[in-house]
Amino acid sequence: MTYEIIKELTTTKKDKTPDHQLGFGKRFTDHMFSMDYEEGKGWHNAKITEYKPIELSPAATVLHYGQAVFEGLKAYATEAGEILLFRPDQNFKRLNRSNERLCIPAIDEEFALYALKELLQIDRDWVPTSEGTSLYIRPFIIATEPYLGVSPAKNYKFMIIMSPVGSYYAEGINPIKILVEQHYVRAVAGGTGEAKAGGNYASSLKGSELANAQGYAQTLWLDGKEHQYVEEVGSMNIFFKIAGKVITPALNGSILAGITRDSMINVLKSKNIPVEERKIAFLEIVEAANNGTLEEVFGTGTAAVISPVGYLKWSDGAIDVNNGQIGEVTQMLYDTLTGIQYGKLEDTFGWTIKL
Amino acid sequence: MTYEIIKELTTTKKDKTPDHQLGFGKRFTDHMFSMDYEEGKGWHNAKITEYKPIELSPAATVLHYGQAVFEGLKAYATEAGEILLFRPDQNFKRLNRSNERLCIPAIDEEFALYALKELLQIDRDWVPTSEGTSLYIRPFIIATEPYLGVSPAKNYKFMIIMSPVGSYYAEGINPIKILVEQHYVRAVAGGTGEAKAGGNYASSLKGSELANAQGYAQTLWLDGKEHQYVEEVGSMNIFFKIAGKVITPALNGSILAGITRDSMINVLKSKNIPVEERKIAFLEIVEAANNGTLEEVFGTGTAAVISPVGYLKWSDGAIDVNNGQIGEVTQMLYDTLTGIQYGKLEDTFGWTIKL
């Protein structure tokens, strides 16, 4: 960790939005972190500056060939006035796995966490304190070389920006309706599905748009090869509770290794609830619904933590899950994880880091 | 066509690179075209200005979720001093097809072509004149809304930038060696493979990097579902000549509808050479090589026009194609297409547009 962070702080602080008007990802804090990479020179020029537009060549690789990766995590204010980060080391670890897939040079994970903490310390008063609110943190790396040839870029920019976000469940947790996508594909084995790379999200927009237009909140993505196996829901991992056992698709290369997903698995194990990671045919879910053993369905991700699914529609039918109500295990997982994240429950897993 | 183009031209013109030092996609002309989109307002603010960096919010959609599409075409200087464009209408048509897949609002194709011609007129003296050189034109659209939610953006920027490029075959056309990629995937049916979208190119970088490291110029991409059917080579379409007949993979949703590909098919038909678009198993190529009927293999694209393949390596073996020499039909196609593009041959197809 031999980098130094140059700090050019602003004195003109922005007005803060009231917590109940925050929404998601539209407002940003006063400062941002950035660092540059140049072939032969490595990562350098680490800086915390005012949050402001960046300059890019119109020929920058990221604008043409999608060479970019990102992460998402949150900082939480506790009742005692402390700020907690939830498993940030895992985010920078995954960022480097995404880098590897996208031919982007690795970052120093320890330094990245140090830089994040420095930035967070400076914008500490931007962490909202109302029930359910948090500070969403977005580390990302973009290829900046001004070159139209298709090859890994020689220049990159690593940035961290932060956005205060409102309670995802301001009106209580309402199970969502999802549509099983049977034409479009989010990712395929051998592609970039397990990386947090723009292309997966760009590919998902069309299916989501069509699902939304029909009144569904999210798309259930099936595998790209056979359109038979469950992969993700919207941009979340998915879990099913069938006859007392919780199952979730195994990490197969096209599924994102969600940190919330991993945390849920660990919480389930700690509560002695059977949990299994394996290949799941969509037909198996239909059968479980038909024979009355499908008990709960939920998505997991950083933004919502957990999103119960109350209704599942596909071309040949539909499934009501748990009468459209949030299930017992779903509620327990939500309470446990948010309890740990906001410092209300003891963190027996060692997941939180105090600022 | 009710848009007006605001022109803010520069008086400080850049020095031009000598034709023999041009290379590809690193140098840009004096000016660029840009136009903005805002939900509710549509496309507006069409401008030709100095070629210069653009300002983007660090939260702009393109930097996170890969919502971006592009095109590539060329302008050619004829011996008579005219400038020709090759099928530019097809590029803007395809740009709109890519837009549709990526949930980007359509552009006015006729206006886009008008804008390109205006820009080209202004930077007319940037079209290089040496044998084999041309002006590469890159229209592209990026999502610019500063919002971290995963949904189609409400703001976009459409730009055209231009780069004088050297002769692809300064040292004569040398057949390349390619490696059949058996793990990584460029695209899959239901994904964005038929769109000219960044994600496909980002996904292809790793396979190309591995192929290059082993001494191969390009990767032969197989289908994402079964890893059995031929799709593309590098970022080109691919053709095989077997027992006198030319075959190329049919457009199946994961293959780019190349304009050079389409032009080659039309030239072949005009010469009464049998040509077929269909699903092609890689095994079929191996069998043809084994029984001595594999005559020629070549890739097609805007940059190289045609790229003969002389050697094909996969996990279980290798194929020498035509003793590593360029084939008769490959050479004929190259001569015909470049002949039309540079105005040396009569354009019986009506493909070229005079500036």
Side-chain angles (χ1 to χ4, degrees):
Chain A
M1 222 199 293
T2 56
Y3 313 100
E4 246 183 89
I5 301 178
I6 299 158
K7 288 172 188 160
E8 295 166 0
L9 307 190
T10 176
T11 48
T12 56
K13 302 217 170 183
K14 289 185 276 194
D15 287 338
K16 294 194 180 63
T17 310
D19 283 5
H20 68 280
Q21 287 176 11
L22 282 175
F24 180 82
K26 296 207 173 196
R27 291 161 184 86
F28 297 90
T29 67
D30 285 321
H31 296 91
M32 63 186 191
F33 169 80
S34 73
M35 195 172 187
D36 298 317
Y37 178 92
E38 193 184 316
E39 199 181 59
K41 195 170 177 182
W43 288 106
H44 64 285
N45 197 26
K47 264 187 191 176
I48 291 175
T49 62
E50 184 184 2
Y51 178 88
K52 61 178 183 222
I54 54 172
E55 275 206 349
L56 281 178
S57 160
T61 315
V62 62
L63 305 180
H64 301 268
Y65 306 129
Q67 203 191 2
V69 294
F70 69 92
E71 274 300 326
L73 70 160
K74 284 178 172 176
Y76 307 85
T78 70
E79 278 176 7
E82 292 171 332
I83 291 170
L84 297 180
L85 281 165
F86 185 72
R87 309 185 76 183
D89 52 315
Q90 295 298 312
N91 290 94
F92 291 118
K93 214 169 176 176
R94 186 171 63 187
L95 187 59
N96 266 343
R97 290 204 305 274
S98 299
N99 282 339
E100 163 71 22
R101 179 63 183 85
L102 275 288
C103 302
I104 296 173
I107 54 154
D108 180 327
E109 295 168 25
E110 251 180 79
F111 175 72
L113 181 52
Y114 168 74
L116 167 56
K117 284 179 180 170
E118 289 286 296
L119 177 63
L120 201 47
Q121 195 62 61
I122 289 164
D123 280 348
R124 186 185 178 101
D125 56 347
W126 277 92
V127 183
T129 53
S130 302
E131 173 85 27
T133 62
S134 55
L135 185 71
Y136 183 81
I137 297 163
R138 169 57 57 93
F140 65 105
I141 303 177
I142 54 175
T144 56
E145 190 191 5
Y147 173 46
L148 296 183
V150 180
S151 63
K154 295 190 168 71
N155 303 81
Y156 299 86
K157 196 177 266 298
F158 169 35
M159 299 188 73
I160 305 176
I161 57 176
M162 307 196 296
S163 167
V165 299
S167 172
Y168 207 87
Y169 293 116
E171 294 162 24
I173 305 188
N174 291 313
I176 56 169
K177 293 183 177 189
I178 66 177
L179 180 66
V180 181
E181 175 58 53
Q182 280 162 329
H183 172 66
Y184 292 109
V185 163
R186 179 195 156 272
V188 69
T192 57
E194 65 184 333
K196 242 178 137 64
N200 309 327
Y201 297 81
S203 188
S204 80
L205 294 174
K206 190 77 185 171
S208 303
E209 192 178 63
L210 295 174
N212 294 163
Q214 293 172 69
Y216 300 93
Q218 301 277 5
T219 299
L220 181 76
W221 298 106
L222 300 181
D223 75 284
K225 289 197 178 197
E226 302 174 60
H227 287 261
Q228 279 190 37
Y229 298 95
V230 176
E231 299 236 307
E232 296 191 15
V233 57
S235 46
M236 295 182 284
N237 291 115
I238 189 161
F239 288 76
F240 303 90
K241 181 162 167 268
I242 298 177
K245 185 195 276 181
V246 178
I247 58 174
T248 189
L251 301 179
N252 60 358
S254 56
I255 293 175
L256 187 79
I259 294 162
T260 311
R261 172 187 179 279
D262 180 73
S263 305
M264 294 301 184
I265 291 171
N266 278 287
V267 171
L268 287 164
K269 284 180 180 166
S270 76
K271 306 268 181 190
N272 293 314
I273 298 171
V275 54
E276 215 171 83
E277 301 173 62
R278 61 170 172 84
K279 207 168 175 177
I280 302 172
F282 180 67
L283 215 58
E284 190 182 332
I285 306 305
V286 175
E287 277 166 18
N290 287 342
N291 67 29
T293 57
L294 180 67
E295 296 157 353
E296 303 184 31
V297 181
F298 56 92
T300 67
T302 294
V305 181
I306 209 160
S307 190
V309 174
Y311 186 78
L312 250 162
K313 174 86 180 83
W314 75 102
S315 53
D316 291 336
I319 296 171
D320 269 305
V321 185
N322 198 32
N323 299 314
Q325 302 299 307
I326 182 168
E328 215 176 294
V329 167
T330 309
Q331 184 74 55
M332 178 279 291
L333 287 169
Y334 179 77
D335 293 342
T336 307
L337 216 66
T338 56
I340 293 170
Q341 288 167 336
Y342 286 95
K344 288 177 189 165
L345 292 180
E346 195 197 343
D347 174 13
T348 54
F349 300 94
W351 284 336
T352 51
I353 290 184
K354 231 173 260 180
L355 185 65
Chain B
M1 223 199 294
T2 54
Y3 314 99
E4 245 182 272
I5 301 179
I6 299 158
K7 288 172 187 158
E8 295 166 2
L9 307 191
T10 177
T11 48
T12 55
K13 301 216 171 184
K14 289 183 276 194
D15 288 338
K16 293 193 181 63
T17 310
D19 282 6
H20 67 280
Q21 288 175 11
L22 282 175
F24 180 83
K26 296 205 175 200
R27 291 161 183 87
F28 298 90
T29 68
D30 285 322
H31 296 91
M32 64 185 191
F33 169 80
S34 72
M35 194 172 188
D36 298 317
Y37 179 90
E38 193 183 316
E39 199 182 58
K41 196 171 177 181
W43 288 106
H44 66 284
N45 196 28
K47 266 188 190 178
I48 291 176
T49 61
E50 183 184 3
Y51 178 87
K52 59 175 185 226
I54 53 172
E55 275 205 350
L56 280 179
S57 161
T61 315
V62 63
L63 305 180
H64 302 268
Y65 306 129
Q67 202 191 0
V69 295
F70 70 93
E71 274 301 325
L73 70 159
K74 283 177 171 177
Y76 307 85
T78 70
E79 278 176 7
E82 291 171 330
I83 291 170
L84 298 180
L85 281 165
F86 185 73
R87 308 185 77 184
D89 52 315
Q90 295 298 314
N91 290 93
F92 291 117
K93 215 170 173 173
R94 186 172 62 186
L95 188 58
N96 266 342
R97 289 204 304 274
S98 299
N99 282 339
E100 164 71 22
R101 178 64 183 84
L102 275 286
C103 303
I104 296 173
I107 54 153
D108 180 327
E109 294 168 25
E110 251 180 80
F111 174 72
L113 181 51
Y114 168 74
L116 167 57
K117 285 180 180 168
E118 289 286 296
L119 176 64
L120 201 46
Q121 195 61 61
I122 289 164
D123 281 347
R124 186 186 179 100
D125 55 347
W126 277 92
V127 183
T129 53
S130 303
E131 174 85 26
T133 62
S134 55
L135 186 72
Y136 183 80
I137 298 162
R138 168 60 56 95
F140 65 104
I141 303 176
I142 53 174
T144 56
E145 190 190 6
Y147 173 47
L148 296 183
V150 180
S151 63
K154 296 190 167 73
N155 303 82
Y156 299 87
K157 196 178 268 296
F158 169 35
M159 300 188 71
I160 305 176
I161 58 176
M162 307 196 297
S163 167
V165 299
S167 172
Y168 207 88
Y169 294 114
E171 294 162 25
I173 304 188
N174 291 314
I176 56 169
K177 293 183 180 190
I178 64 178
L179 181 65
V180 181
E181 174 57 52
Q182 281 163 327
H183 172 65
Y184 291 109
V185 162
R186 180 196 155 271
V188 67
T192 56
E194 67 185 331
K196 243 179 137 61
N200 309 327
Y201 297 80
S203 189
S204 79
L205 294 174
K206 190 78 188 170
S208 304
E209 192 178 63
L210 295 175
N212 293 163
Q214 292 172 71
Y216 299 94
Q218 300 278 5
T219 299
L220 182 75
W221 297 106
L222 301 181
D223 74 286
K225 290 198 176 196
E226 302 173 60
H227 288 262
Q228 280 191 37
Y229 298 95
V230 175
E231 299 236 308
E232 296 191 16
V233 57
S235 46
M236 294 182 286
N237 291 116
I238 188 159
F239 289 75
F240 302 90
K241 182 162 167 267
I242 299 177
K245 186 195 275 182
V246 178
I247 58 173
T248 189
L251 301 178
N252 61 358
S254 56
I255 294 173
L256 188 79
I259 294 162
T260 312
R261 173 187 180 279
D262 180 74
S263 306
M264 295 300 184
I265 292 171
N266 278 288
V267 171
L268 287 165
K269 284 179 180 168
S270 76
K271 307 269 181 190
N272 293 315
I273 297 171
V275 53
E276 215 172 82
E277 301 172 63
R278 63 171 170 86
K279 206 168 177 178
I280 302 171
F282 180 67
L283 216 57
E284 190 180 332
I285 306 306
V286 175
E287 279 167 15
N290 286 342
N291 66 31
T293 56
L294 180 67
E295 296 157 355
E296 304 182 33
V297 181
F298 56 92
T300 67
T302 295
V305 181
I306 208 159
S307 190
V309 174
Y311 185 77
L312 250 162
K313 173 88 179 83
W314 74 102
S315 53
D316 291 336
I319 296 171
D320 269 305
V321 185
N322 197 32
N323 299 315
Q325 301 300 306
I326 182 167
E328 214 177 293
V329 166
T330 309
Q331 185 72 56
M332 177 281 289
L333 287 169
Y334 179 77
D335 293 342
T336 307
L337 216 66
T338 55
I340 293 171
Q341 288 167 337
Y342 287 95
K344 288 176 189 166
L345 292 179
E346 193 195 346
D347 175 13
T348 54
F349 300 94
W351 284 336
T352 50
I353 290 183
K354 231 173 261 178
L355 186 63

